[in-house]
Amino acid sequence: MKVFELTRIRITIWYVLIIMSISTMFSFVIYRGVIGNIESSFRNAEVRFEKNEGMMALRRVAEVKNPNVEVTKEVLHGLFLEELENSRKNILLSLLILNVVILTLSTLVSYLLASKTLLPIEEIIKEQKRFIADASHELKTPLTSLKTSIEVSVRSGKLPKDIKKLLQYNLEDVDALNELIDKLLNLSSLESKEPVFDNLDIKEAIETAYRRVKYLADEKKISININTKNYQLLGDASSLTELFTILFDNGIKYCKQNGIINLDVKLSKNHLVITVEDTGIGINKKYLPNIFDRFYRIDSSRTSSAKSGYGLGLSMAKKIVENHNGSISVSSEIAKGTLFTIKLPTKQKLV
Ligand code: ADP
């Protein structure tokens, strides 16, 4: 899962930052200490030389380096400075090498540790997703038999009219539940399965989605204008069709009669930029950051449609776009309309 890979990298960076700041601090202390020691022993040596207390060894070093020059205090001082500079360079180089080794080792170890830390969390989340998928799946069977028996009862002539009406409502509720379960199953499969990328034509995916929603648009006399060329991209055909269906469906749901939905596709370098704009009721700016959250609905009374939705559509749309390594954003103005902008890479890194 991409989110875990990103978290793993973030944890690794934190571990490495902590280790490297400690290591740099220690290196600084070591450097100051060693250079301080060298400086003070040089100073002592100079004092001893001045007092003429021997210093044969140093004298000899100076003579070996430059035999024609008389060893004076100045010559020795120059030699000390040279030696000090060399020691400084050597210590810095050793500390640098040590820090590079620590950086490499700590990055490797931190990445392994981060993986180990995240593994149980990853397992729990996988388990939860499996549970949602299994539970949704298990619910489908009794609901189907419930639906069949209600339908049989409604069709039978024996029941009084008011009971039949009640059963009709029950049937609508069962259909709504079925739709919710389908959406949950769809969402959980989007989250757990890797998308299957194939070469596809974006126009075909858009037109398939359009055909699915056309009858809904016609009911509200909403015109859908599609402006695209036959752009090719690597993508998952069924989930991209689902993405456009969700956006068209929302546009229709939140537009009044005779509204307009415009879908435009443009090619920009390696991306397709897709905009879906409607002349609907719009969304208050304060709700915009939440609309891609699961089960988030602004207010079901805002739509005149019989079905107000479960707040799952846009979270599915976001997941589909993320699975394609793309991005989705929204801007909106109350009573003017809403604009969704999607960026999809035309190529995918295949692993
Ligand atoms: P729902 O199934 O309730 O439509 P979505 O996840 O698709 O759920 O959308 C979340 C919320 O965002 C909706 O409840 C709706 O209020 C708002 N919304 C989505 N699309 C539009 C749109 N095109 N125009 C206005 N509001 C929208």
Side-chain angles (χ1 to χ4, degrees), residues 250 253-254 278 283 296-298 302 308-311 313-314 338:
N250 277 354
K253 239 184 329 191
Y254 300 104
D278 64 54
I283 306 169
Y296 187 84
R297 288 158 66 198
I298 296 171
R302 297 183 338 128
S308 60
Y310 300 98
L314 287 182
T338 304

